[in-house]
Amino acid sequence: MTVDSGPGPRVVEENRVLREVVGLYTQLSGLATQDSDLRSVVALIADRLGVGAMVIDDERDVLASAGPSPQAVEDVHHHLRQLDLGKVLAASARARRAITLPGVDNDVALVVAPIVMGEEIPAYLLTGRPSGGGAVEDLGLLATEHAAMICGIVLGRHRLVASVVGNARLDLVEALLLARDRTEFELHNWARHLGIDDRRPHVVMTVALEPPPGGSAAGLARLGAYVERLLTARLSDATVARRDTSVVAIVAVGDDERAAVDEVTAVGRLCRASSGARYPGSGVNVGVGGVCRGLSDFARSYAEARLAVETTIRMTRLGGVVAFRDLGIQRLLSRVADVDDLRAFAADVLGELIAHERNNSTDYLSTLSVYFQENDSPKRTAKIMYLHPNTVTYRIRRVEEITGLSLSSYRDRLTVQVALEIINGLGDEL
């Protein structure tokens, strides 16, 4: 007579894991039907598996993380630092399913699952592999893969909402900044919907985006998203909207106009430096308009910001960060349709002086520029250029002889100053 001793330990464990999988799948699927975020999905998977878990985007920024303890999350970070992460993510993307990675020096191993949205893989879910081996490891693999699918649903939903909200915000911002002949009532309504307090002064900043040579549309979109996030974080009282090739910020500022423009320009310099470091070869050029004291001024400030960007790109061919108020005479020179006309004017006025410098290795142009900036003071010019005042006087006299112009003549002096501004603005030799 045979006595049935019931299922063995392995079968019992497999049945337990199966129940765990079904229960976890049910909970994860429930999150997909709710207004959940990535943090909720990551927190659930971390809690149920008892491991650290995180979502990283395709640029390896952490979007969400959770774990039963800070150490559990750090374990995942530590393991990532031991890997060639680019190859790991590429392998996961090719497989389009979760893969397991063995531990290093008895450290925590990982499960990596691509978060798929149609043909795109914008992020990855990583979990520490639960200890126990066998069926427990299978639970970690299956659960991570299913959680990645739920993350894809959550990301897709949030991306859709963000797109709708972003498009609506952009429409309102453009209506406000491009408004012509609109009533105060219309302007006030647009500002109210954007959360803009029209009783406060504002400054408009525009950031022109250029991808690196041969860059893709997706690369430009990533650059724009990064700039948008940076400005939103750095400018607490700002309304930020992103277009295809630019980002615009309407920034609430204090009453001190000079300080206000200085502060916004400083953020622009930070934005340009950070973007250049993160996306080498890309171009981020920033223009800052004047202070707005009313909603009807917004269009003017925006036009000034755009002119500042266009002028610095056009005149220097390099771009930069420029406040409209600092353009000086370049505000007029920028209205000349053909840069070659400006170059020809400067060559007519200072061409012989430039040729003399090339042939004789003199330094007349820079001396002349400092001399004008120091209000014709040979002593101050000499101090700045580490020269003797007599040397400065001699050089200025030689400038007059070579150009045939008299710097004591108002018209000749103005002509030379404008030609110098063109040369300084163009940033190249004639």
Side-chain angles (χ1 to χ4, degrees):
M1 179 177 179
T2 302
V3 178
D4 185 3
S5 59
R10 180 177 178 181
V11 174
V12 171
E13 176 65 8
E14 288 177 349
N15 287 338
R16 184 191 68 79
V17 169
L18 180 60
R19 288 193 297 272
E20 285 280 332
V21 169
V22 172
L24 187 50
Y25 274 31
T26 301
Q27 286 184 283
L28 287 169
S29 299
L31 291 179
T33 63
Q34 303 167 13
D35 187 20
S36 302
D37 56 13
L38 287 179
R39 178 71 175 77
S40 301
V41 179
V42 172
L44 176 60
I45 193 78
D47 178 65
R48 291 296 299 270
L49 295 180
V51 298
M54 67 178 62
V55 172
I56 62 173
D57 64 16
D58 54 0
E59 295 192 347
R60 307 177 195 183
D61 288 333
V62 177
L63 303 182
S65 64
S69 68
Q71 184 58 46
V73 178
E74 178 54 34
D75 285 342
V76 177
H77 276 292
H78 177 70
H79 193 73
L80 288 178
R81 289 192 288 267
Q82 314 303 314
L83 299 171
D84 185 337
L85 190 55
K87 289 184 177 179
V88 170
L89 298 184
S92 176
R94 285 195 300 271
R96 296 181 77 83
R97 61 180 302 171
I99 60 175
T100 58
L101 302 175
V104 177
D105 296 331
N106 297 319
D107 204 349
V108 178
L110 290 180
V111 177
V112 180
I115 296 174
V116 180
M117 292 174 53
E119 296 301 314
E120 183 185 1
I121 300 178
Y124 299 82
L125 173 63
L126 301 93
T127 62
R129 193 167 65 187
S131 60
V136 176
E137 289 187 5
D138 292 341
L139 167 62
L141 180 66
L142 293 171
T144 301
E145 193 164 63
H146 189 69
M149 184 187 70
I150 302 303
C151 285
I153 296 172
V154 171
L155 272 179
R157 181 171 63 235
H158 286 189
R159 181 177 290 187
L160 177 61
V161 172
S163 176
V164 172
V165 172
N167 288 338
R169 184 190 302 113
L170 178 60
D171 288 344
L172 287 169
V173 167
E174 290 188 336
L176 198 59
L177 297 183
L178 301 176
R180 294 290 186 273
D181 302 322
R182 298 293 187 177
T183 66
E184 282 292 325
F185 178 76
E186 288 175 303
L187 295 174
H188 175 76
N189 274 341
W190 290 335
R192 179 172 57 82
H193 287 303
L194 288 167
I196 293 174
D197 184 354
D198 57 2
R199 296 167 298 181
R200 298 182 61 184
H202 290 77
V203 167
V204 178
M205 167 198 284
T206 185
V207 182
L209 310 172
E210 296 178 10
S216 63
L220 182 62
R222 284 194 292 269
L223 174 62
Y226 176 74
V227 170
E228 183 180 20
R229 290 196 303 271
L230 189 149
L231 294 184
T232 300
R234 293 286 177 172
L235 300 169
S236 57
D237 290 328
T239 298
V240 183
R242 173 162 52 104
R243 308 174 73 180
D244 290 338
T245 58
S246 66
V247 179
V248 179
I250 303 173
V251 190
V253 295
D255 290 326
D256 186 333
E257 293 195 8
R258 177 159 291 277
V261 172
D262 286 345
E263 290 172 7
V264 176
T265 304
V267 174
R269 286 193 289 269
L270 171 66
C271 177
R272 177 175 165 84
S274 298
S275 301
R278 187 178 181 91
Y279 301 98
S282 61
V284 171
N285 303 297
V286 183
V288 180
V291 174
C292 309
R293 294 290 177 179
L295 294 176
S296 59
D297 287 342
F298 280 25
R300 183 261 305 159
S301 184
Y302 178 52
E304 292 173 349
R306 291 178 63 187
L307 180 60
V309 168
E310 292 165 3
T311 299
T312 188
I313 294 175
R314 179 169 176 257
M315 296 298 286
T316 69
R317 298 182 183 178
L318 298 175
V321 180
V322 181
F324 178 76
R325 69 164 189 216
D326 296 329
L327 286 178
I329 196 173
Q330 300 292 347
R331 287 154 65 173
L332 297 178
L333 297 178
S334 66
R335 304 294 187 182
V336 178
D338 191 345
V339 175
D340 287 339
D341 288 342
L342 297 176
R343 189 174 286 110
F345 175 83
D348 287 343
V349 177
L350 296 175
E352 291 188 21
L353 186 63
I354 293 171
H356 188 278
E357 286 208 345
R358 288 176 184 158
N359 296 330
N360 298 279
S361 299
T362 54
D363 201 16
Y364 292 156
L365 275 175
S366 59
T367 303
L368 183 60
S369 181
V370 175
Y371 181 72
F372 283 149
Q373 291 171 14
E374 295 304 316
N375 296 317
D376 301 355
S377 170
K379 185 176 181 179
R380 290 197 298 271
T381 302
K383 183 176 181 180
I384 291 172
M385 300 191 71
Y386 300 101
L387 301 171
H388 192 280
N390 289 344
T391 302
V392 175
T393 301
Y394 169 76
R395 288 183 179 182
I396 296 302
R397 185 170 68 250
R398 286 292 293 144
V399 167
E400 292 181 318
E401 292 172 355
I402 294 168
T403 62
L405 300 170
S406 171
L407 298 183
S408 61
S409 163
Y410 168 78
R411 187 176 294 276
D412 285 357
R413 179 188 177 87
L414 178 61
T415 299
V416 172
Q417 286 180 308
V418 171
L420 270 177
E421 285 290 337
I422 293 172
I423 292 172
N424 291 335
L426 290 174
D428 58 4
E429 294 184 349
L430 299 179

